[in-house]
Amino acid sequence: MSGQRGYMTPDRPSLRGLPRKVSQPNLSASSDLRLSVIAEDGDVQLPPRAVTKTHNRPFSRRWNLGNPPRHSYEKSPPEYSLRDESPPKKQRFMAIRNNKQLAKRGGWKRLLCIILFLIAVIVALAVGLSVGLKKHNSTGSTAPPKRLQEPSSTPTGPFPIGTYALNTFLDAVSTGCTSNAATWRCYPYTTYAGSPSGALAVFSWVISGSPGHYLISSTNNPFAINFVNASLNLVDANTPTERYTFTIPINKVVVPSTSITADNTMAACQFNNAQFQANLYTRMANTYPSNSSSPSSDPISGVEPWPYAVEVIQSIGGGANVPACYKVHDGNFGARVTGGLVPQPSGQNCNCTYKNFDP
């Protein structure tokens, strides 16, 4: 047409009747780069061709270089890893250390807390079991706890050789030797008249030697009266009151039942050269402890009880320095206490009497 601007193109025959050219390498790229047809007025527009845009293709596919590695250029390639030649234990440790779940839930701090908790539980169980076993061993026996220590060795031989528990009760208390009755006291501080069971007092003695030369010694006892190898004398032989007897001097220390100081500090009183006497009968029967009296303790386990009557007496007469009382500081004697203490006549006695037969 006349009057058209631009370049004119010759009439193009229809492409439908033309044979297709054999595809060769790089032809698709050259045809894609071919200029588009400029349509003239009145020309029939061809349907748009599906053009493959090579510039959108991956570079490797443009030149038939095969598939690229499966990673994005936006991310770093995977790290190269060397073969771990470490021992299996170390490999397991590294696996635990690099565990992502462990890192998410608190990491090593939480794991350490869990381990410490488990250790504490194991230690607590071990200690609890050991303590429980000790308590079971100490309380599982039907025998009562021992008041006195058993002797390290038990002499053997005909009666009266052996170790004996002498189960007695506090029968009577006399305070005539002192002007303050609170300064003389007798264990267990209650008499048979006050409480038959509460008056129980147990002595533990060891008899050794040979006929005619018997010796007696004490073991640990609540009276703190210790003696070794005191001679036993036989009295009233071949009579109903036949007995072995001994007498030894002792120093008795008493903590007053009430304060005897002006400032109410603790005090203790000494009764020096008091007498400790015992009679061990060989024919007279004992009657205590009995079912009617119901004592608070049974005979000492493993120690044979003395099979006959027993009488034990602590005594001292009045006089100068009876008693001698002192203030006590940290277990040590301090200033002398004399207020309210007046010496008594020598004929006035203080006694603690124990026995195991009818009062």
Side-chain angles (χ1 to χ4, degrees):
M1 292 179 65
S2 62
Q4 289 284 351
R5 294 180 182 181
Y7 295 96
M8 300 295 293
T9 59
D11 293 337
R12 295 175 56 187
S14 174
L15 296 177
R16 294 179 181 178
L18 295 178
R20 293 184 180 181
K21 294 181 180 181
V22 179
S23 61
Q24 296 179 356
N26 298 331
L27 275 179
S28 61
S30 59
S31 62
D32 289 338
L33 296 176
R34 193 177 298 157
L35 292 176
S36 300
V37 178
I38 299 175
E40 296 289 344
D41 291 342
D43 289 345
V44 177
Q45 293 185 358
L46 298 176
R49 295 179 57 191
V51 180
T52 303
K53 298 181 179 180
T54 58
H55 63 274
N56 289 334
R57 294 183 182 180
F59 180 79
S60 59
R61 294 188 60 186
R62 293 186 191 178
W63 308 104
N64 297 328
L65 296 179
N67 294 327
R70 294 183 177 276
H71 62 267
S72 172
Y73 67 89
E74 296 179 355
K75 296 183 180 180
S76 300
E79 297 180 357
Y80 290 99
S81 61
L82 299 177
R83 182 177 180 181
D84 191 356
E85 299 294 339
S86 58
K89 291 184 178 179
K90 187 173 181 181
Q91 293 179 9
R92 289 195 294 267
F93 175 78
M94 294 299 296
I96 295 174
R97 184 177 179 182
N98 297 327
N99 189 287
K100 294 182 179 180
Q101 296 296 328
L102 180 64
K104 290 181 180 179
R105 298 184 179 181
W108 287 103
K109 291 184 179 179
R110 181 168 182 177
L111 179 61
L112 180 60
C113 292
I114 294 174
I115 294 174
L116 292 177
F117 175 76
L118 293 176
I119 293 174
V121 170
I122 294 172
V123 172
L125 289 175
V127 173
L129 288 174
S130 62
V131 173
L133 290 175
K134 288 182 180 179
K135 289 184 177 179
H136 175 74
N137 292 335
S138 62
T139 60
S141 176
T142 57
K146 300 175 182 179
R147 286 194 176 189
L148 310 178
Q149 179 179 354
E150 295 182 14
S152 57
S153 61
T154 301
T156 59
F159 180 83
I161 294 176
T163 301
Y164 300 97
L166 291 80
N167 303 285
T168 67
F169 58 84
L170 178 60
D171 180 46
V173 178
S174 301
T175 59
C177 69
T178 175
S179 60
N180 188 339
T183 60
W184 178 266
R185 304 179 68 195
C186 304
Y187 177 88
Y189 316 117
T190 183
T191 64
Y192 183 91
S195 172
S197 60
L200 175 67
V202 181
F203 299 87
S204 183
W205 293 338
V206 179
I207 298 177
S208 60
S210 59
H213 301 282
Y214 292 119
L215 301 174
I216 189 167
S217 303
S218 67
T219 62
N220 293 336
N221 59 77
F223 305 96
I225 299 171
N226 299 315
F227 57 92
V228 178
N229 293 335
S231 296
L232 280 176
N233 301 314
L234 183 62
V235 179
D236 296 339
N238 301 321
T239 67
T241 58
E242 181 184 83
R243 62 193 181 276
Y244 289 99
T245 184
F246 71 95
T247 301
I248 57 173
I250 62 171
N251 294 327
K252 182 179 175 69
V253 178
V254 177
V255 176
S257 57
T258 60
S259 177
I260 61 172
T261 61
D263 56 358
N264 292 324
T265 58
M266 183 179 178
C269 298
Q270 291 182 327
F271 292 86
N272 297 322
N273 296 320
Q275 299 296 310
F276 185 84
Q277 179 182 355
N279 296 309
L280 284 69
Y281 293 89
T282 59
R283 299 190 181 190
M284 184 184 300
N286 61 44
T287 58
Y288 181 91
S290 63
N291 293 333
S292 60
S293 60
S294 300
S296 58
S297 176
D298 293 330
I300 297 177
S301 175
V303 180
E304 182 181 358
W306 182 260
Y308 301 103
V310 175
E311 184 178 34
V312 179
I313 301 172
Q314 301 175 31
S315 64
I316 189 172
N321 298 321
V322 179
C325 298
Y326 302 88
K327 291 183 177 180
V328 178
H329 299 281
D330 297 328
N332 300 316
F333 286 172
R336 177 77 180 267
V337 178
T338 58
L341 297 176
V342 179
Q344 300 298 303
S346 59
Q348 299 294 322
N349 294 326
C350 291
N351 297 319
C352 297
T353 303
Y354 303 88
K355 59 184 182 179
N356 67 349
F357 50 92
D358 290 338

